[in-house]
């Protein structure tokens, strides 16, 4: 749906009329409703490229790889980017075009493409980069000739946002660099402002949705706009009821003369409409943003059975029903110490919170401020102190850290037929991944070394292009912690030499050159800004170390081994179990080129047993599929303890079994419990296991390295968790519209048992589910839900997952949003749960919250 087109500044009649008379060259004038965040953005306006407000001519990449001339424009309020055509039909005066848009949007929500305009909200932008080919569209463009010339990556800019990418060429270096800097500055200012206490998530959601529903672009919502907004933010009211609520509120506003003058923004032309209808002119002109916030607060109250919101109930229980405010002493002792378990909380800390969320004088806390604090990020269930980056914990050997790792990073879908893409590498790096996988094969003389999933129908991408994506990422973030490239090397010697040459030439000093006498692995801090290689350094006959050659897949009950060199593409297309001789591929040599071996840090070796695990060099490491890990774990009861001892000094990587052809993931918790540093998952799959991985690596600032030895609870513990309320839950998949959701919440504990006979019994998944709240994703409450009890056996490893789903009667329930939190990072008391989408808080996901009550009851020592 269209987020925003044109808007007249909410303000006086004169201001509105002046806006209408602006020149045609300043088409995209827009302001957000009057919120604190708009003033925050206006304060950095002088740092934004001035030409962006008038329009920058760009060449935008289309989905088929061609380029079209467009104009990129930033709205006056800094909230919207527009990509529009430049022909005269679309460079119209605001009055003419807004009339057309308003007429269309009055009847339905419009797809922006119908008007040849793309709109990007600053809240949807994930990141922006220039100088490399890292998206599907640019990959398509790179294969075509652009006016007789190949695509120059140095002139490319890519904006990654919630629904994909917007890629374009900007010729002038100065404009390109300033544009990237401008978008980054605006995005940083926006997210910084979002964390400030003077604006609630409800206000942010209404701001985000406002221009979807303000069809006439007046800064005011009439009745049709109000009805659209209800659906947009997940509030269900029958149309008759909603109409009555809106018109009753308009009557109330009409009876307040002091507010009447403040809201007459549309001049004498609208004054002539006052005689229409029995509800007065406010019914026709509409309500402004602040009035809409006030009206929704009333609707929230009316939606509750007892007429009270959950934070009011908590306030009554803690401080008494007869009180409307509390002092800093009450807040410190009764709330922070007794309820929240912050035993060392002081009145100074309470005073700091009161200054942010409390009254103007900073000396009292009313009910409304108390509610805002409860849902805030400062009251996060995930301890904010443990989410912050701490460089001081990064001085140990690499083997002492969990490392955020990806499997078959290049794939965008299943393991057999999906597309390979550079965009997958760019997205994984931005998501915090620090170990990328490349399956390398001989290409032709033009393509050179190529990367794809062997013996399948997946597409191929160029090895050098992947290295350029990594290089560009480090240039943009020079202090990033080390990136490990896991090379699954199937190349012949000449192509291995080519790989080594590309790595040395493109990465230069970024490439880490290992020494032969390493007794201890370097620390992440020592290797900041470096690229390390994982692969084989020694030559010899086929030892089965290749991930591809040591996995197998069951298809139609017929066991097919990759060792047999059978093409899976032929199996998919033929549909039978028999493969002709032309499906057999000739194995490549296993000789390792010295040029590649000398720059490879981690030497993947064959596993024999753990008896000599301490004698090999520190750079020797093991790599297992999940299924082989389980088999070995069950073979010998001593393996569990020996595994942990080995992983104190040496690296180990675990990856999905070949049977996961749909790119599903395994649970990483079991492997973390055994000290495995690199547990590689399929990043393209948005499942529970990937959410657990994302939650683990939100520790330590999302840097991709989490110390295994971080402080945790000393033994078993009992958790009691009660889901109290939700706020601003999104539509499934972040869609801007759809039916009003009926949410329920699943709580899932991912744990490892202290003792078990087999590896399958070690993993412990404990699940609880709330009841469904019908037709209310905006402010659902679960006042009567009993507390769920969980016994945690391994608090240092266990993860607690929250998933909000929409109950769709007769259909599969859709996921709305999800998050996972390490148990060792939980805080007790009344806490806020912040939701994510693929480890990002973009668009409507940024406003979604739960309020929960958490008790950490007792500690049970290990036996």
């Amino acid at each position: 749906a269209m987020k925003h087109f044109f808007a007249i500044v909410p303000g006086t009649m004169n201001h509105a009329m002046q806006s209408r008379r602006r020149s045609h060259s300043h088409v995209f004038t827009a302001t957000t409703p009057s919120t604190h965040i708009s003033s925050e953005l206006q304060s950095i306006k002088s740092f934004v490229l001035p030409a962006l407000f008038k329009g920058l001519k760009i060449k935008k990449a289309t989905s088929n790889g061609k380029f079209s001339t467009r104009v990129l424009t930033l709205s006056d309020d800094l909230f919207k980017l527009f990509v529009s055509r430049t022909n005269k039909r679309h460079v119209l005066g605001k009055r003419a075009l807004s009339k057309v848009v308003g007429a269309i949007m009055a009847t339905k929500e419009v797809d922006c493409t119908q008007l040849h305009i793309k709109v990007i909200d600053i809240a949807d932008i994930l990141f922006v980069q220039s100088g490399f080919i890292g998206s599907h569209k640019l990959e398509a463009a790179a294969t075509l000739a652009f006016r007789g010339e190949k695509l120059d990556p140095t002139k490319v800019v890519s904006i990654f946002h919630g629904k994909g990418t917007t890629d374009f060429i900007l010729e002038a270096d100065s404009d390109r660099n300033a544009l990237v800097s401008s978008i980054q500055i605006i995005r940083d200012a926006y997210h910084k402002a979002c964390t400030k206490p003077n604006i609630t998530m409800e206000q942010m959601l209404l701001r985000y949705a406002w221009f979807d529903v303000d069809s006439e672009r007046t800064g005011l919502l009439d009745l049709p706009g109000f009805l659209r907004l209800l659906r947009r933010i997940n509030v269900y009211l029958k149309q008759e009821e909603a109409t009555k609520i809106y018109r009753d509120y308009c009557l109330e506003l009409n009876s307040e003369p002091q507010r009447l003058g403040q809201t007459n923004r549309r001049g004498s032309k609208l004054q002539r409409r006052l005689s229409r209808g029995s509800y007065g002119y406010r019914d026709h002109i509409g309500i402004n943003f602040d009035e809409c916030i006030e009206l929704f607060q009333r609707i929230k109250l009316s939606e509750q059975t007892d007429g009270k919101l959950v934070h009011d109930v908590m306030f009554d229980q803690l401080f008494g029903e007869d009180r409307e405010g509390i002092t800093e002493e009450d807040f410190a002792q009764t709330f922070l110490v007794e309820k929240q378990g912050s035993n060392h909380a002081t009145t100074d800390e309470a005073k700091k919170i009161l200054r942010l969320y409390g009254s103007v004088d900073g000396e009292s806390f009313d009910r409304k401020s108390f509610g805002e604090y409860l849902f805030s990020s400062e009251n996060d269930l995930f301890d904010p102190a443990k989410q912050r980056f701490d460089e001081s914990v990064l001085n140990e050997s690499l083997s002492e850290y969990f490392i955020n790792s990806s499997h078959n990073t290049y794939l965008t879908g299943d393991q057999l037929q999906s597309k390979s893409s550079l965009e997958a590498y760019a997205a994984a790096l931005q998501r915090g991944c620090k170990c990328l996988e490349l399956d390398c094969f001989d290409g032709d003389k033009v393509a050179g070394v190529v990367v794809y999933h062997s013996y399948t129908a997946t597409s191929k991408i160029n090895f050098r292009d992947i290295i350029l994506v990594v290089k560009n990422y480090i240039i943009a973030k020079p202090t990033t912690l080390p990136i490990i490239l896991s090379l699954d090397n199937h190349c012949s010697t000449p192509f291995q030499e080519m790989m080594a040459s590309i790595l040395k030439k493109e990465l230069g000093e970024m490439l880490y050159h290992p020494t032969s006498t390493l007794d201890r692995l370097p620390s992440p801090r020592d290797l900041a800004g470096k690229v390390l290689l994982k692969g084989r350094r020694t030559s010899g006959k086929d030892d089965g170390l290749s991930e591809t050659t040591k996995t197998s897949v069951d298809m139609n009950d017929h066991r097919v081994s990759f060792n047999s060199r059978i093409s899976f593409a032929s199996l998919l297309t033929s549909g039978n179990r028999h493969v002709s001789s032309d499906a057999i591929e000739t194995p490549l040599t296993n000789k390792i080129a010295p040029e590649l071996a000398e720059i490879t840090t981690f030497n993947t070796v064959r596993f024999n047993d753990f008896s000599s695990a301490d004698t090999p060099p520190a750079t020797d490491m093991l790599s297992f599929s999940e299924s082989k890990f389980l088999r070995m774990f069950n073979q010998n009861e001593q393996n569990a303890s020996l595994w942990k001892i080995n992983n104190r000094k040496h690296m180990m990587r675990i990856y999905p079994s070949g049977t996961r052809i749909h790119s599903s993931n395994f649970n990483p918790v079991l492997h973390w419990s055994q000290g495995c540093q690199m547990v590689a998952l399929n990043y393209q799959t948005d499942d529970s296991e990937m959410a657990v991985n994302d939650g683990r690596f939100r520790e330590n600032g999302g840097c991709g390295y989490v110390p295994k030895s971080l402080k945790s609870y000393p033994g078993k513990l009992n958790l009691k968790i009660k889901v109290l309320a939700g706020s601003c839950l999104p539509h499934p998949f972040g869609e801007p519209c759809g039916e009003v959701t009926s949410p329920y919440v699943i709580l899932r504990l991912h744990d490892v048992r202290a003792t078990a006979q087999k590896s399958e019994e070690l993993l412990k998944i404990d699940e609880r589910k709330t009841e469904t709240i019908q037709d209310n994703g905006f402010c659902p409450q679960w006042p009567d839900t009993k507390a769920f009890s969980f016994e945690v056996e391994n608090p240092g490893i266990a993860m607690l997952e929250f998933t909000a789903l929409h109950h769709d009667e007769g259909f599969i329930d859709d996921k709305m949003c999800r998050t996972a939190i390490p148990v060792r990072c939980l805080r007790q008391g009344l806490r806020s749960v912040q939701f994510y989408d693929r480890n990002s808080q973009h668009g409507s996901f940024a406003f979604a919250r739960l309020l929960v009550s958490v008790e950490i009851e007792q500690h049970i020592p290990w036996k």
Side-chain angles (χ1 to χ4, degrees):
M2 183 170 173
K3 290 235 183 302
H4 172 54
F5 210 77
F6 293 96
I8 301 173
V9 180
T12 63
M13 174 195 69
N14 291 335
H15 198 160
M17 297 304 290
Q18 289 169 6
S19 296
R20 286 173 175 261
R21 297 189 187 107
R22 291 182 184 178
S23 67
H24 292 179
S25 63
H26 199 54
V27 173
F28 296 104
T29 55
T31 58
T32 191
S34 180
T35 62
H36 294 286
I37 197 168
S38 58
S39 60
E40 292 283 343
L41 290 188
Q42 290 301 308
S43 68
I44 54 99
K45 195 169 184 177
S46 59
F47 298 98
V48 177
L49 177 65
L52 195 53
F53 295 105
K54 296 180 180 180
L56 281 173
K57 182 177 286 190
I58 62 173
K59 293 183 175 68
K60 178 181 174 293
T62 61
S63 57
N64 61 6
K66 297 181 180 180
F67 285 87
S68 301
T69 301
R70 295 288 185 268
V71 172
L72 179 70
T73 312
L74 178 66
S75 64
D76 286 350
D77 59 11
L78 280 65
F79 275 100
K80 306 284 181 179
L81 281 169
F82 307 93
V83 181
S84 62
R85 290 183 182 271
T86 56
N87 58 51
K88 293 183 179 181
R89 284 187 305 156
H90 299 280
V91 185
L92 300 173
K94 186 189 305 181
R95 179 180 301 179
L97 190 53
S98 63
K99 184 176 180 180
V100 174
V101 176
I104 297 174
M105 293 194 68
T107 57
K108 65 175 183 177
E109 296 188 6
V110 175
D111 183 352
C112 305
T113 57
Q114 294 179 16
L115 299 168
H116 307 286
I117 288 188
K118 183 172 188 176
V119 186
I120 307 170
D121 192 287
I122 193 66
D124 288 318
I125 296 178
L126 301 174
F127 62 96
V128 57
Q129 278 193 331
S130 65
F132 75 104
I133 299 172
S135 73
H136 300 311
K137 297 171 187 173
L138 291 176
E139 288 176 79
T143 62
L144 302 176
F146 176 59
R147 293 188 178 179
E149 298 179 5
K150 287 293 184 181
L151 175 64
D152 184 357
T154 63
K155 298 183 182 299
V156 162
V157 176
S158 293
I159 301 174
F160 287 71
H161 45 84
K163 295 297 182 182
T165 65
T166 298
D167 312 283
F168 51 87
I169 292 174
L170 193 56
E171 294 290 344
D173 292 344
S174 57
D175 283 350
R176 186 169 56 255
N177 296 333
L179 170 65
V180 172
S181 176
S182 296
I183 295 176
Q184 289 173 337
I185 289 172
I186 297 170
R187 184 181 179 276
D188 291 345
Y190 171 82
H191 287 284
K192 182 179 179 181
C194 286
T195 63
K196 293 192 174 183
N198 51 12
I199 182 168
T200 67
M201 290 301 104
E202 293 169 358
Q203 290 174 316
M204 292 296 297
L205 176 60
L206 285 179
R207 195 289 305 170
Y208 182 71
W210 188 264
F211 295 115
D212 288 354
V213 295
D214 179 15
S215 61
E216 293 190 8
R217 308 299 171 228
T218 63
L220 301 170
L221 280 192
D222 56 11
L223 178 58
F226 176 71
L227 296 176
R228 287 195 296 271
L229 183 61
L230 289 174
R231 295 192 300 272
R232 178 69 170 78
I233 65 173
N234 258 327
V235 176
Y236 174 77
L237 290 174
K238 292 182 179 179
Q239 183 165 339
E240 299 80 9
E241 182 183 1
T243 300
K244 184 178 186 306
I245 289 173
Y246 178 85
R247 287 181 167 168
D248 286 348
Y249 185 67
C250 288
L251 280 175
E252 181 181 330
L253 293 176
N254 288 344
S255 66
E256 301 180 29
Q258 71 276 15
R259 299 172 69 169
L260 187 64
Q262 296 173 3
T263 53
N264 183 7
R265 299 178 175 85
R266 299 183 64 187
S268 58
K269 182 178 179 180
L270 286 174
Q271 292 280 357
R272 292 193 292 270
R273 297 169 59 186
L274 297 185
S275 59
R276 302 180 186 177
S278 60
Y279 285 92
Y281 86 97
R282 294 304 302 273
D283 182 21
H284 294 278
I285 296 179
I287 57 177
N288 65 24
F289 183 80
D290 292 333
E291 292 162 351
C292 193
I293 290 289
E294 180 182 341
L295 180 53
F296 270 101
Q297 291 299 318
R298 299 185 185 187
I299 292 174
K300 281 176 62 177
L301 285 172
S302 68
E303 288 286 290
Q304 312 311 322
T305 54
D306 58 357
K308 278 191 175 183
L309 295 172
V310 69
H311 67 261
D312 283 320
V313 175
M314 295 297 106
F315 190 97
D316 292 344
Q317 292 176 1
L318 290 167
F319 309 110
E321 295 184 19
D322 57 340
R323 299 185 64 177
E324 291 300 323
I326 53 174
T327 64
E328 60 193 38
E329 291 81 8
D330 291 333
F331 186 68
Q333 183 59 37
T334 305
F335 184 69
L336 293 181
V337 174
E338 297 177 9
K339 185 64 179 178
Q340 304 293 81
S342 303
N343 296 326
H344 303 292
T346 64
T347 53
D348 288 340
E349 292 178 44
K351 188 179 294 185
K352 179 182 176 182
I353 295 173
L354 261 64
R355 286 197 192 103
L356 292 173
Y357 294 89
S359 61
V360 177
D361 59 14
E363 296 180 358
S364 63
F365 224 20
D366 61 18
R367 291 171 177 269
K368 181 175 179 292
S369 300
F370 181 67
E372 291 174 2
Y373 172 75
L374 287 182
F375 280 98
S376 72
S377 57
E378 188 164 330
N379 190 44
D380 197 342
L381 177 60
F382 195 143
D383 190 346
K386 295 180 179 179
Q387 294 185 63
R388 289 192 283 269
F389 177 65
D390 183 2
E391 192 177 27
S392 67
V393 302
L394 296 171
N395 296 315
E396 301 299 323
S397 164
L398 283 173
S399 59
E400 293 295 332
Y401 297 85
F402 298 125
I403 302 173
N404 202 350
S405 303
S406 168
H407 169 251
N408 287 358
T409 313
Y410 47 88
L411 291 180
T412 58
D414 66 60
Q415 300 290 307
L416 301 180
Q417 301 183 93
S418 67
K419 183 177 181 180
S420 304
S421 175
L422 296 172
E423 185 174 321
Y425 285 94
L429 287 168
Q430 292 292 339
R431 195 168 175 174
C433 184
K434 288 295 181 283
C435 180
L436 310 171
E437 184 174 16
L438 296 81
D439 290 337
C440 305
F441 295 86
D442 291 2
D444 53 33
K445 292 182 180 180
V446 177
V449 181
V450 293
V451 172
Y452 72 107
H453 198 192
S454 59
Y455 318 119
T456 69
T458 58
S459 61
K460 302 175 182 180
I461 54 177
N462 189 272
F463 175 82
R464 180 178 178 273
D465 290 341
I466 298 172
I467 303 306
L468 290 176
V469 170
V470 175
K471 175 184 178 180
N472 190 276
Y473 177 81
I474 297 177
I475 291 173
K477 299 183 177 182
T479 60
T480 187
L481 294 181
I483 297 171
I484 300 169
L485 301 183
S486 179
L487 304 180
D488 197 5
N489 180 9
H490 302 265
C491 291
S492 61
T493 301
F495 281 85
Q496 290 182 42
E497 293 170 351
M498 184 185 298
M499 288 170 60
S501 175
I502 291 170
L503 288 162
K504 292 175 182 178
K505 178 183 177 181
E506 298 299 343
L507 296 178
E509 293 184 357
M510 298 176 188
L511 182 64
Y512 178 72
H513 292 256
T515 61
S516 58
T517 57
L518 272 180
D519 296 324
R520 178 182 180 274
L521 292 173
S523 71
R525 189 173 182 179
D526 293 336
L527 296 170
K530 297 292 185 181
V531 175
L532 284 68
L533 302 184
K534 167 198 166 293
R536 283 185 293 162
R537 285 204 300 261
T538 57
S539 302
K541 62 183 179 179
D542 190 355
D543 56 7
L545 289 173
S546 164
E547 289 185 17
T548 308
T549 59
K550 65 183 176 185
T551 57
S552 58
V553 177
D554 290 307
M555 293 190 67
N556 298 327
D557 299 322
H558 178 67
R559 191 79 173 174
V560 181
S561 171
F562 281 109
N563 247 342
S564 65
R565 307 293 178 182
I566 294 177
S567 167
F568 262 89
S570 64
L571 285 176
L572 287 170
T573 55
S574 65
N576 59 52
R577 302 175 183 178
H578 303 287
V579 183
S580 61
S581 59
D582 60 2
I584 308 299
E585 299 188 14
T586 305
L588 299 173
T589 177
N590 286 281
K591 182 179 179 181
I592 305 301
E595 294 86 350
L596 185 60
E598 69 181 10
I599 58 175
T600 300
T601 300
F602 299 110
N603 180 33
T604 307
V605 297
R606 174 188 286 277
F607 173 76
N608 294 314
D609 56 57
F610 285 118
S611 60
S612 59
D614 289 332
T615 56
T619 53
D620 279 6
M621 70 171 289
L622 299 171
S623 186
F624 300 111
S625 69
E626 55 167 310
S627 56
K628 186 171 183 179
F629 173 93
L630 296 177
R631 288 198 304 271
M632 293 176 59
F633 198 95
N634 294 331
Q635 283 175 359
N636 189 332
E637 61 183 19
Q638 293 182 338
N639 275 357
S641 58
L642 292 174
W643 215 297
K644 294 179 182 178
I645 294 172
N646 174 78
N647 291 344
R648 291 173 188 166
K649 293 186 178 180
H650 296 85
M651 304 287 281
M652 183 177 291
R653 182 174 181 269
I654 310 295
Y655 56 90
S657 294
T659 53
R660 296 185 180 273
I661 60 175
H662 295 295
S663 298
S664 61
N665 284 307
F666 60 95
N667 198 310
V669 170
L670 173 60
H671 308 88
W672 288 332
S673 73
Q674 301 305 308
C676 301
Q677 297 88 353
M678 293 184 275
V679 184
L681 299 183
N682 293 307
Y683 263 54
Q684 70 271 36
T685 305
D686 181 25
D687 55 15
S688 173
E689 291 76 15
M690 195 64 219
V692 166
N693 188 79
D694 288 336
R696 168 66 68 207
F697 290 101
R698 273 195 286 277
E699 289 187 74
N700 202 23
C703 69
Y705 286 79
V706 173
K708 292 193 256 182
S709 58
L710 280 180
K711 184 179 179 181
S712 183
Y713 297 100
K716 297 182 181 180
L717 57 89
N718 289 336
L719 292 178
K720 282 191 174 181
I721 303 176
K722 184 176 182 180
V723 179
L724 300 173
S727 177
C728 304
L729 300 181
H731 289 283
F733 313 110
E735 292 296 330
C737 57
E739 64 177 319
V740 174
T741 56
S742 299
Y744 64 94
V745 179
I746 290 178
L747 286 74
R748 191 177 289 119
L749 176 70
H750 303 259
D751 195 9
V752 175
R753 292 183 174 87
T755 58
Q757 296 297 319
K758 291 184 175 293
S759 59
E760 293 85 352
E761 300 171 357
L762 275 173
L763 189 61
K764 173 185 175 182
I765 308 295
D766 198 0
E767 184 173 300
R768 304 286 191 276
K769 175 183 172 182
T770 69
E771 64 180 7
T772 299
I773 303 299
Q774 292 295 327
D775 299 324
N776 186 357
F778 182 63
C779 54
Q781 293 195 171
W782 291 269
D784 301 322
T785 299
K786 295 181 179 179
F788 300 130
S789 295
F790 298 92
E791 183 182 72
V792 184
E793 299 191 43
N794 194 337
I797 294 296
M799 301 288 297
L800 183 64
E801 178 191 357
F802 295 84
T803 305
L805 297 103
H806 164 52
H807 176 65
D808 198 353
E809 192 70 39
F811 298 91
I812 297 175
D813 293 349
D814 294 322
K815 176 182 71 70
M816 299 165 68
C817 45
R818 177 188 279 139
T819 191
I821 305 172
V823 169
R824 69 185 182 188
C825 299
L826 295 177
R827 299 193 294 175
Q828 70 178 32
L830 295 173
R831 298 295 181 181
S832 164
V833 177
Q834 322 285 303
F835 279 112
Y836 292 81
D837 174 56
R838 296 178 181 266
N839 206 33
S840 173
Q841 288 186 309
H842 65 87
S844 57
F845 294 99
F847 321 125
R849 299 285 191 271
L850 285 182
L851 182 64
V852 298
S853 175
V854 177
E855 295 180 28
I856 303 175
E857 280 198 323
Q858 57 183 331
H859 298 256
I860 308 172
W862 293 98
K863 295 181 180 180

